[in-house]
Amino acid sequence: MTDHTVTLTQAERTRTTVNLRPKDAATMLILDRSGARPKVLMGKRHPSHKFMPGKYVFPGGRIDAGDRHMAATGALPQICEDRLGKRMIRPSAGKARALALAAIRETFEETGLLFGSAEFGQPENPPEGTWRDFAAQGVFPDLSAVSFVARAITPPRRPKRFDTRFFTIDASALGGKVEGVTGPDSELIDLVWVDFDEARELDLPTITKVIIQEVEARIAAGFAPYLPVPFYWERRGHFVREEL
């Protein structure tokens, strides 16, 4: 297997700021494994963004307070909850759940896709903001459809630092869609379904390239829940890869 720690360590990075504490974040890889070659949904960031302008990324972002309170159907698989709690300062089932919900919410915010079930009517008393818009579509987010597949922390002294948990969900778990969310004035200006070879040809952040290869290897190994979850972080100027 390729040593991705070398790729990450050698990537050019400006280090100009005081050292910030990484913010908890969650990202979603939406997989379509119905055809001969698995595909993943990627979005192109607006070229005017200060952070990763014009790059292709997975939908995602920082955890919000409302992510701890949104009603959901299905429970996060226990093995995902356990692994999310590893190497966490104050691990809890609530925090693990909130991270998975953040990935679902951010996906909705940036793509208009609602992952969950429309079988139970409209969730009552959703948190204000995006979750209220989500609930208005008559969909409950479904945590049982989510898998935790990777974690990475931005190196020190970068202008923005995130402790990002990467999740996957199958395209078949889609419960609804709001049109017109992506476009020329949106955070993501374009969405593309690409296989893993095509994804590597896009303009990607280095960590995104690495996660794509990790998930491709995970699928090739059968995508079983017990497969280890890679965790990338920097120690004394060099990236290390742990397994959670």
Side-chain angles (χ1 to χ4, degrees), residues 37-139:
R37 294 169 71 87
K39 293 193 171 187
V40 63
L41 186 66
M42 304 209 68
K44 186 175 185 179
R45 286 180 61 80
H46 199 283
S48 69
H49 276 262
K50 284 185 179 177
F51 186 60
M52 298 194 294
K55 297 275 189 188
Y56 278 89
V57 296
F58 315 120
R62 285 166 52 178
I63 196 169
D64 277 357
D67 298 331
R68 289 184 176 271
H69 306 294
M70 180 61 187
T73 179
L76 191 64
Q78 188 64 47
I79 194 165
C80 294
E81 183 185 309
D82 293 345
R83 284 168 167 175
L84 283 162
K86 287 184 179 178
R87 304 284 265 109
M88 189 187 282
I89 294 169
R90 285 184 294 276
S92 70
K95 175 102 176 258
R97 183 180 182 279
L99 284 161
L101 280 167
I104 293 174
R105 174 185 51 73
E106 285 284 343
T107 298
F108 172 59
E109 278 184 21
E110 296 179 5
T111 68
L113 300 174
L114 298 99
F115 282 94
S117 174
E119 294 177 8
F120 307 106
Q122 189 167 317
E124 293 181 8
N125 303 316
E128 286 187 18
T130 303
W131 280 124
R132 191 156 289 183
D133 299 334
F134 190 107
Q137 301 299 315
V139 174

Side-chain angles (χ1 to χ4, degrees), residues 168-239:
T168 60
I169 198 162
D170 197 85
S172 62
L174 191 66
K177 183 179 181 182
V178 173
E179 299 292 343
V181 173
T182 53
D185 301 319
S186 305
E187 185 168 343
L188 297 181
I189 60 172
D190 186 33
L191 292 175
V192 289
W193 282 103
V194 285
D195 65 33
F196 290 109
D197 288 340
E198 292 166 335
R200 277 190 283 274
E201 298 301 314
L202 298 173
D203 184 7
L204 305 173
T206 307
I207 188 61
T208 306
K209 289 179 188 175
V210 167
I211 299 300
I212 281 174
Q213 290 177 74
E214 287 279 10
V215 171
E216 185 177 23
R218 194 178 193 85
I219 291 172
F223 209 73
Y226 59 78
L227 289 169
V229 171
F231 173 27
Y232 288 97
W233 58 284
E234 192 183 87
R235 178 172 59 203
R236 294 191 291 275
H238 295 273
F239 265 87

